[in-house]
Structures are given as structure tokens and as C-alpha cells.
Amino acid sequence: MSGSKPDILWAPHHVDRFVVCDSELSLYHIESAVSSELKAGSLRLSEETTATLLSINSDTPYMKCVAWYPKYDPECLLAVGQANGRVVLTSLGQDHNSKYKDLIGKEFVPKHARQCNTLAWNPLDSNWLAAGLDKHRADFSVLIWDISSKYAPETAVATEKVRLSTGDPEAGLVVTKPLYELGQNDACLSLCWLPRDQKLLLAGMHRNLAIFDLRNTSQKIFVNTKAVQGVTVDPYFHDRVASFYEGQVAIWDLRKFEKPVLTLTEQPKPLTKVAWCPTRTGLLATLTRDSNIIRLYDMQHTPTPIGDETEPTIIERSVQPCENYIASFAWHPTSQNRMVVVTPNRTMSDFTVFERISLAWSPVTSLMWACGRHLYECTEEGKASSLEKDIATKMRLRALSRYGLDTEQVWRNHLLAGNEDPQLKSLWYTLHFMKQYTEDMDQKLTGNKGPLVYAGIKSIVKSSLGTTENLRHSRSGSDRQADIIQYLSEERSLALQLCGWIKKGTDLDVEPFLSSLEQEGDWERAAAVALFNLDIRRAIQILNKGASSGKGDLNLNVVAMALSGYTDEKNSLWREMCSTLRLQLNNPYLCAMFAFLTSESGSYDGVLYENNVAVRDRVAFACKFLNDAQLNRFIEKLTNEMKDAGNLEGILLTGLTKDGVDLMESYVDRTGDVQTASYCMLQGSPSEVLKDERVQYWIENYRNLLDAWRFWHKRAEFDIHRSKLDPSSKPLAQVFVSCNFCGKSISYSCSAIPHQGRGFSQYGVSGSPTKSKVTSCPGCRKPLPRCALCLINMGTPVSSCPGQSC
């Protein structure tokens, strides 16, 4: 505190009280604001807090510095340093009937009058009060007073009565003999006791920082520096001290006191105050003259200096508690990162410095962040459905269930994924059917380009041009027979097999597929497939069975009754009523059934473009009822839609081809599921698609994910699975050989090591192999003993050049 600028101090043991001191001492009580309206005599400090004035003390003029007594009792005892060097003990609201009332008004007077610059109470022996004074050539500048000194002829002069608000004429004594005198013929600008030892006092003298040991006052440890103002000890690291001079802050380590470990430059104005945060490790606040900015230096992670050139790093930031210039500030002793600032006109603000939020996103998708002393974690454990989880969480759970590794029953992989994603179910059934029908496929369909089945239905349909037969069938179960044209070819039968409608072979019976749908309770789909195979009676039977089960759609009986009255007359009342009923149905398969029954032959857009019907069912329907030209147009259009949408059901159309990679790229861009992309593309090996950079990128990213999750065994299982499906991905094993003489190492390929003395494949600097008998170390050219020659040339791995070990 200097001149008329106010300073602010928090009460050491009353966290709701602080004092503002300039020409007088004002004690305030801070409390939460219960309403937007201020009580009489209250000041607004922030939106949450207000301050109420409790008392004023105007009996200590010419104040230069103030220090609050560190112990709880007496609770409001303050030491005031004056311009004439005197130190006065005064009180704010102290009970004068207490046993400490004789301390009030006590004065400690130096031999020669000069300004008192700083005061510091000893935190352990609270009777000791250190005062720092200006220089006097015949006196000491550091005086340590014992406030418990009693009146005695040799220790006190005639008393000068100090009149306080009580008007007690016997209120105090004047003490002139200090307990210790230090720093002769020098000036003391700042003081602080070192917490590690109550006998050590750190003083900022005129040209140096000095550590005085009261057990031996004739000696001191000092370092020459200009940064001697505002010395203060880090409350969490007692060997770290801050001081300042003009616009620079020096950070000292008392264990290595030769020079500052760090210098902070504040430009361009000089500093007025520095203070360590009492609730936060290594946080230093600084204030410059005529500024409304407080700078914060975070040295929480500052390492201990090791060498002379070691300079720790810090994080710097600035905060602006108010709009006006700040005269002083004070950290709250217990509330985290909270301070009160005061302006030159005594306007005060209660301000909290918010911590930088440090985020950490774990590989298992839990998000954690730190804010002050609090650590927060956000996980997905509370999610009800796996569909709501992040894709990284899904992939991790799937990896634990060995998703993608079932190569015998490939379709079961969708169950390992949770059986909640219809696209995954369609994908793995498609891959299952592809694998199932690949081995015994007729060679005329495969040619020299690998299994045509892996090329997808789009390629299969194109290969069937000109081989399609037209067949006329009528709907079974209807009294009125109407011929419907169906198309048949070996390629179309293969497409139906990939769609899952029929089994492998020449039999086109869909009854096994219908039975499986009934077992799953998918009554609407089963009825639609039966109807699309022109078996109305079977469709009605399925609908009635579904209605009696109580698990199907409520409209199943109505639909069954409507089907039983089917007629092919275009202008019949039946068609009119079915068209109306179709608009009221919510199930896409029931809508598709009536669309099929009311459509003209060859025009089935109501079925083909019912987007909620599974792609494989629409494709199978198209293979049965569209001619070659219509089928190709439909398949081409649907393939493009699937590629653009990244819909995995489209793999049925594209197969594991370049189009399939394009579709999978859209899927990965949309979902980030590199796990499914990797396993899917590996199913087509050996294939050119595995050489695609995108496929390799997905595979490597998935391997990196497994490593990040520390799924070492899962990653190994994936690598083994990959090497089985793509033998080219298996790296060559290496034997590393080094010479004992020169230390050079040479790498040999295990597969190239000859056996039974047939030679040795040596890899030189250029990497090109040369076939020759090994007789010496390739590095230093020293000859190898006979036993080593036998070992190497027989193909036995050796860890080093044996040299002369024979």
C-alpha cells in the first residue's frame, strides 16, 4: 500500500471478512446476494455477492502498510506501519474485555524516524512482528518486535496514551527495544517469513535479497539483484519465491539461490503487486500500474531446475475483473481462484478466475476434463440402446465379441454386432450367400476373372443378357386366373440365391425361406414373398397365422380377407377398395402386396420403389418380373442410389468390386465404421480391391484402434484372419545378425536361408540379394570359424557373429 491508493486484505480466519485500507481501515462482511435488491448499506460486488460495512478505524494516520494478525484470537488485530516508522497495533471490532485488550494501541518505535515499508507476522511464533524500514546510516532497517513485551524501565519510555474509540487512557505502551535488529545501513523494501523454518526471514533489501537466520544474526545468505520488492513465498512450494522490480518478476528457488530460475517481463508499465494463489498450486497473479488487467502465470507443472541452463515453461493468461483501473487485489484464502479487487475510488469487485479446461478423450470413448480441483467424466454407460452409442464404442464392443471373425457361418457376424442394425444384417447375409455359392459355381460363370458371385448382382445380371426365358404363370389360390409374365435364367436364379429367396441348386422353391421368416415372426414380409411368387393361398395362410399369434400387425386379418377376394378386373370394386386400403397401411410390405395386385403387367413401380422394403426383396422381385432392359435400368439406378447413400444393402448389387469400395467409402464417411469396412473387403480376397489405397487405409486404421484400446490379442487375431484371407499381407520373418568385431548388423530373410549347405542369401547395402557361400562377416570381412559357417550355411539363425568363439 502506498500513498492514497487503497489496498485490500482478507481476514486469515474469517473467510467472509476483508479490510480495505488507505487513509482509514474499513472492515466489510461479504455474503451471498439473496435477491436482486440491495440491503441498506450494502455494496454490490458481483451478481452473486454483496458486501456490508461493519466498522471503520480512523485512528491510525499516515498508514504505509498493514498486516493482519495470523492467529484466530484476537480476531481483528492489525499492525499498521506509519510514515514515521512507528508500528501501531489496532483493532476492528475487537472485544476490549478480552485478555488481549492490552495489545490494542501498543506502539513499537524505532530509534530514528523514517518510513515503514513492510510488515510481516511470523506464522508460527505469532508474537513476532517484522518491520522493514527505509535506510538510516546509524540504524538497522529490519526490526523484529515481540508484541508481548511488558512495560519495563529498560524496554519502554514514558507512555504516550493512544486514544481509541473506547477513550481508555491506559490503552497502550510505547516499546522502543526490538527483539532483533538486522540490515544495518541499508533499506528494506519487502519482507516474508520462510514457512520451512520460523527462524528464517527473507528480506528485499536495497540491492539484494537476503535470508537472515535469527539463530546467527551476524551472517546472512544474499544474492545481488534489483528485484527486491514484493517478496512472497509460494504456499505450496516453500522453496519458490517471487519478487519484482519495475516491469520484471523474478522467480527464485531457495535451494539454488545464485540467480532466478525464471524471469517474467511485464511491459511497459511497472508492477505494483504480485501474489501467489493460496488455493491453486503455482498460480501467480501480477498487477501493473494504471491497468485493469491482472496477468496470471501458471507454474503448476514447472520442473525443478537441474542445470544452469534449465528454464521452466509456464502458461500465461490475462483476466479483466472490472472496467476501471485496479489499485490492488487479494486472493480469497479458501475459495478456489477467487479474488476481490479494489479501484482507486474504492469500488470493489468479487471475481473468480476460471480455470482452463483440460480435455482428455480416452481411446475407449470416455471424455474426461479437469476444471480446478474437480475432475469430470462423461461415458456412454447409461445409453439404453447400442444404436445411440458412438461408433468407436460400438466397434470396441464388437471387437470384444469377436465380430467379423466367424468365417464358417458368416451370417452370424451380424449377431455378434448386436443384431440391431438391418444394414449390417443384410451385409453379412450377402457375404454368407456369396461364400456359400462360390466354391461349387459353374466355371462358365466365373471365367478367368474370379468368382462372378463376388462381383455382385449388377455384374451377374449383365452377363445374363440374351439368355432369359419368358414364362407365363397365374396366381395360385385365386378363382380368376390371370397370366403374369415371369423371367428365368441361370444368372437370375443365382441372383435369387444371393437375395436369399431360394437355396443353391435348380429348385426354385421359396418354402424354406418362408418358413424361416415365419419362425422370426416376420409375417408381413413372408406373406409378401409368397404373393410375389404367385401363391395367394400361402400368403393368406401366413397372414391368418400372424394375426392369431398376436404379434403381427393389427390389419393382418383385414389384408387376408382383402386378398381372398382378389380379381383381375381393372374396373372392379375390389381394386378401388384395395387402392384406398393401401393408403391406410403403415407396413411397407403390406403396401407392396396391394401395389403388386393392382399393377399392370410389367409396370411395378409401386413395389420396386417402396424404399422401406428391403433391397434384397426388391432386387429379387425385379429379377422375376422385369425384362432384361428394365432389369438393367433398375439395377443401375438402385446401385447408384446405394453408393451415394453408403447403404450396406447395396453390397448385394456392387459385390466386392471397385463399385463396392466406392459404396463402402460413402458408408465409412457417414459412420466412421472402419471395422466393418475392413472385414467386409477381406471377404473378397484374393481380389484387386485389397490393393486399393482406401481399403488399406481402413485396415491400418482399425489395427491402430485395436492397439489404442490395448486389444493386443484381438489385433493378433485380426492379423491372423487377414493373412488367411490375404496371404500377400503376411510379412516375411527376419533374422537379425550382428558382428562381434565391428558391431554392424545385417538382416536376412528366413525364407531365403539355404539348407544343407545349398548357399546363403546375403542382403547387402543396396538390398539386392546375392547367392553365395558365407565365409566371413559381411561387415568387417573377418573370417568366421568352421562351426559358425556350418550354423549359418545350414540355415540356423545366429544372434551374432561368433568371431573366435570356437
Side-chain angles (χ1 to χ4, degrees):
M1 184 182 70
S2 62
S4 60
K5 287 188 177 180
D7 198 0
I8 188 168
L9 298 173
W10 279 99
H13 299 286
H14 294 273
V15 296
D16 58 350
R17 296 183 185 182
F18 63 90
V19 65
V20 176
C21 41
D22 46 10
S23 60
E24 59 185 12
L25 299 174
S26 303
L27 180 64
Y28 289 90
H29 175 261
I30 191 170
E31 57 185 353
S32 299
V34 295
S35 65
S36 58
E37 296 182 1
L38 286 175
K39 296 188 297 183
S42 296
L43 301 175
R44 174 74 67 180
L45 300 187
S46 67
E47 294 181 358
E48 295 84 16
T49 57
T50 60
T52 304
L53 181 63
L54 297 181
S55 63
I56 297 177
N57 186 332
S58 305
D59 297 324
T60 52
Y62 313 115
M63 281 190 294
K64 290 298 181 182
C65 52
V66 178
W68 204 310
Y69 185 71
K71 295 299 179 67
Y72 182 81
D73 191 23
E75 60 181 7
C76 289
L77 181 66
L78 292 95
V80 178
Q82 298 179 317
N84 57 6
R86 293 191 176 204
V87 178
V88 180
L89 298 183
T90 187
S91 175
L92 288 166
Q94 171 67 27
D95 183 6
H96 288 267
N97 294 323
S98 73
K99 61 181 179 178
Y100 296 100
K101 65 179 182 178
D102 57 336
L103 294 178
I104 308 303
K106 202 168 191 177
E107 291 191 14
F108 304 90
V109 183
K111 295 178 183 178
H112 301 88
R114 71 268 198 201
Q115 179 173 300
C116 180
N117 298 314
T118 179
L119 293 171
W121 292 96
N122 190 305
L124 297 179
D125 193 344
S126 56
N127 287 332
W128 291 4
L129 175 63
L133 308 174
D134 275 349
K135 179 179 178 181
H136 191 280
R137 65 178 182 272
D139 202 355
F140 296 90
S141 60
V142 178
L143 304 179
I144 299 176
W145 305 96
D146 185 354
I147 65 170
S148 62
S149 297
K150 300 297 183 180
Y151 171 78
E154 67 274 14
T155 59
V157 297
T159 59
E160 177 186 350
K161 302 298 183 288
V162 181
R163 300 183 183 276
L164 298 177
S165 57
T166 60
D168 185 358
E170 304 293 334
L173 295 174
V174 176
V175 180
T176 59
K177 186 173 180 57
L179 189 63
Y180 294 96
E181 296 177 311
L182 308 168
Q184 189 173 15
N185 195 24
D186 205 345
C188 180
L189 302 177
S190 59
L191 284 173
C192 69
W193 294 92
L194 298 184
R196 64 181 184 180
D197 192 334
Q198 63 174 351
K199 299 291 187 179
L200 295 180
L201 180 66
L202 177 62
M205 308 304 285
H206 181 55
R207 289 292 183 181
N208 57 70
L209 285 179
I211 299 177
F212 295 101
D213 190 340
L214 302 187
R215 289 161 295 199
N216 185 4
T217 58
S218 62
Q219 295 182 356
K220 66 178 180 180
I221 302 173
F222 68 95
V223 57
N224 293 325
T225 179
K226 292 183 178 181
V228 296
Q229 294 176 303
V231 290
T232 176
V233 181
D234 187 342
Y236 288 94
F237 183 18
H238 295 165
D239 287 314
R240 184 160 54 193
V241 175
S243 63
F244 67 88
Y245 169 73
E246 293 294 336
Q248 290 187 338
V249 179
I251 308 297
W252 306 85
D253 190 329
L254 298 182
R255 299 167 300 179
K256 193 176 181 63
F257 202 40
E258 294 83 4
K259 64 178 182 179
V261 295
L262 182 64
T263 301
L264 311 174
T265 302
E266 293 271 4
Q267 293 293 341
K269 299 176 182 179
L271 290 156
T272 59
K273 187 171 184 177
V274 298
W276 296 100
C277 179
T279 60
R280 169 76 150 75
T281 306
L283 184 62
L284 181 69
T286 65
L287 176 65
T288 57
R289 187 176 62 194
D290 298 335
S291 172
N292 61 354
I293 299 295
I294 294 178
R295 291 190 183 276
L296 303 175
Y297 297 91
D298 186 0
M299 287 168 275
Q300 185 175 10
H301 305 292
T302 301
T304 301
I306 300 174
D308 291 340
E309 302 302 325
T310 302
E311 183 170 303
T313 58
I314 61 172
I315 299 176
E316 179 183 349
R317 60 186 292 205
S318 299
V319 294
Q320 184 177 350
C322 60
E323 296 295 331
N324 300 324
Y325 289 158
I326 300 173
S328 184
F329 68 91
W331 290 105
H332 193 281
T334 58
S335 295
Q336 187 176 2
N337 294 2
R338 179 182 173 190
M339 64 171 63
V340 171
V341 300
V342 60
T343 63
N345 60 1
R346 294 175 68 99
T347 301
M348 293 170 288
S349 297
D350 189 359
F351 178 74
T352 299
V353 179
F354 290 99
E355 293 277 3
R356 281 193 174 94
I357 297 178
S358 301
L359 289 175
W361 206 328
S362 94
V364 295
T365 68
S366 62
L367 182 65
M368 186 171 289
W369 65 95
C371 185
R373 296 179 181 176
H374 302 284
L375 195 61
Y376 303 91
E377 184 179 15
C378 178
T379 62
E380 293 184 308
E381 297 300 327
K383 296 287 186 179
S385 170
S386 63
L387 292 177
E388 301 174 357
K389 296 180 185 242
D390 181 77
I391 186 59
T393 303
K394 294 180 184 178
M395 289 191 292
R396 183 172 177 272
L397 296 177
R398 292 171 186 171
L400 290 172
S401 66
R402 302 187 78 251
Y403 168 73
L405 295 176
D406 194 335
T407 56
E408 297 300 325
Q409 298 292 328
V410 179
W411 63 272
R412 288 180 54 84
N413 285 300
H414 89 88
L415 298 177
L416 300 177
N419 194 22
E420 293 184 345
D421 191 336
Q423 289 194 31
L424 286 182
K425 181 176 181 180
S426 174
L427 170 68
W428 288 108
Y429 267 106
T430 298
L431 296 177
H432 171 74
F433 294 140
M434 288 180 174
K435 180 179 182 297
Q436 183 178 3
Y437 299 120
T438 297
E439 298 176 356
D440 300 329
M441 189 60 55
D442 190 2
Q443 292 299 317
K444 72 176 183 178
L445 296 178
T446 60
N448 297 324
K449 298 182 180 180
L452 182 62
V453 68
Y454 278 109
I457 289 180
K458 178 182 176 182
S459 298
I460 293 174
V461 167
K462 286 185 178 180
S463 66
S464 69
L465 295 177
T467 63
T468 305
E469 300 178 5
N470 299 344
L471 300 176
R472 289 184 177 270
H473 291 274
S474 59
R475 295 183 176 91
S476 173
S478 173
D479 294 336
R480 300 180 61 86
Q481 304 295 328
D483 291 339
I484 298 177
I485 299 177
Q486 295 188 77
Y487 299 89
L488 181 64
S489 69
E490 194 170 359
E491 291 79 7
R492 292 188 183 224
S493 296
L494 175 59
L496 291 177
Q497 293 171 18
L498 293 180
C499 292
W501 276 25
I502 61 175
K503 297 290 186 181
K504 183 171 64 174
T506 57
D507 190 5
L508 300 181
D509 185 17
V510 298
E511 185 58 33
F513 180 54
L514 297 179
S515 299
S516 67
L517 292 177
E518 287 181 298
Q519 291 178 359
E520 296 175 3
D522 202 350
W523 310 106
E524 296 85 352
R525 184 183 179 193
V529 173
L531 181 63
F532 296 158
N533 283 274
L534 307 183
D535 193 346
I536 295 181
R537 188 178 299 279
R538 183 74 173 97
I540 294 173
Q541 178 186 353
I542 293 172
L543 291 172
N544 289 330
K545 187 175 180 180
S548 62
S549 70
K551 298 180 180 179
D553 193 291
L554 297 178
N555 296 317
L556 293 184
N557 278 326
V558 177
V559 174
M561 186 178 300
L563 288 181
S564 63
Y566 166 74
T567 177
D568 60 337
E569 294 181 3
K570 296 181 179 181
N571 298 322
S572 66
L573 178 63
W574 183 89
R575 282 178 175 263
E576 182 180 346
M577 295 302 299
C578 285
S579 299
T580 304
L581 177 62
R582 177 189 171 192
L583 299 177
Q584 300 174 359
L585 297 174
N586 295 323
N587 189 280
Y589 282 97
L590 298 181
C591 293
M593 292 170 65
F594 286 108
F596 173 63
L597 293 174
T598 57
S599 298
E600 299 293 333
S601 180
S603 178
Y604 302 108
D605 287 355
V607 179
L608 297 175
Y609 297 105
E610 179 61 60
N611 292 329
N612 291 323
V613 172
V615 170
R616 61 180 59 254
D617 293 333
R618 288 189 280 158
V619 171
F621 179 90
C623 289
K624 290 182 69 70
F625 296 107
L626 298 185
N627 60 39
D628 287 347
Q630 291 175 322
L631 181 60
N632 274 290
R633 284 196 303 268
F634 172 72
I635 294 296
E636 186 72 30
K637 181 179 180 181
L638 186 59
T639 300
N640 291 334
E641 290 177 358
M642 295 293 104
K643 286 168 60 178
D644 293 340
N647 191 329
L648 292 180
E649 295 182 84
I651 293 293
L652 175 71
L653 305 173
T654 64
L656 302 182
T657 61
K658 183 181 180 301
D659 283 343
V661 177
D662 293 339
L663 185 151
M664 191 61 71
E665 182 180 27
S666 298
Y667 171 76
V668 173
D669 290 343
R670 179 171 58 86
T671 65
D673 186 4
V674 294
Q675 182 184 48
T676 298
S678 300
Y679 280 116
C680 175
M681 291 298 120
L682 285 173
Q683 293 294 326
S685 65
S687 173
E688 292 297 320
V689 297
L690 288 175
K691 300 178 183 179
D692 193 295
E693 291 182 356
R694 294 169 291 179
V695 176
Q696 293 299 319
Y697 179 78
W698 300 332
I699 292 175
E700 290 305 315
N701 271 274
Y702 181 55
R703 295 179 74 250
N704 292 337
L705 270 178
L706 293 175
D707 286 340
W709 294 330
R710 299 184 179 182
F711 287 177
W712 318 122
H713 291 87
K714 300 297 180 184
R715 203 279 313 276
E717 287 179 349
F718 175 75
D719 288 342
I720 294 171
H721 175 77
R722 178 188 181 188
S723 63
K724 288 180 179 179
L725 298 178
D726 181 19
S728 64
S729 65
K730 186 176 181 179
L732 295 175
Q734 298 286 316
V735 176
F736 298 94
V737 182
S738 63
C739 176
N740 279 338
F741 290 103
C742 62
K744 293 185 178 179
S745 61
I746 303 166
S747 179
Y748 300 101
S749 171
C750 288
S751 61
I753 292 179
H755 296 275
Q756 304 300 329
R758 290 177 294 169
F760 187 79
S761 179
Q762 176 183 328
Y763 285 78
V765 177
S766 63
S768 59
T770 59
K771 294 287 184 179
S772 64
K773 282 281 187 176
V774 174
T775 59
S776 63
C777 173
C780 59
R781 301 301 180 185
K782 290 193 176 185
L784 296 174
R786 182 172 299 178
C787 63
L789 295 176
C790 293
L791 286 173
I792 296 179
N793 291 309
M794 288 295 291
T796 304
V798 290
S799 60
S800 62
C801 169
Q804 299 177 355
S805 62
C806 283

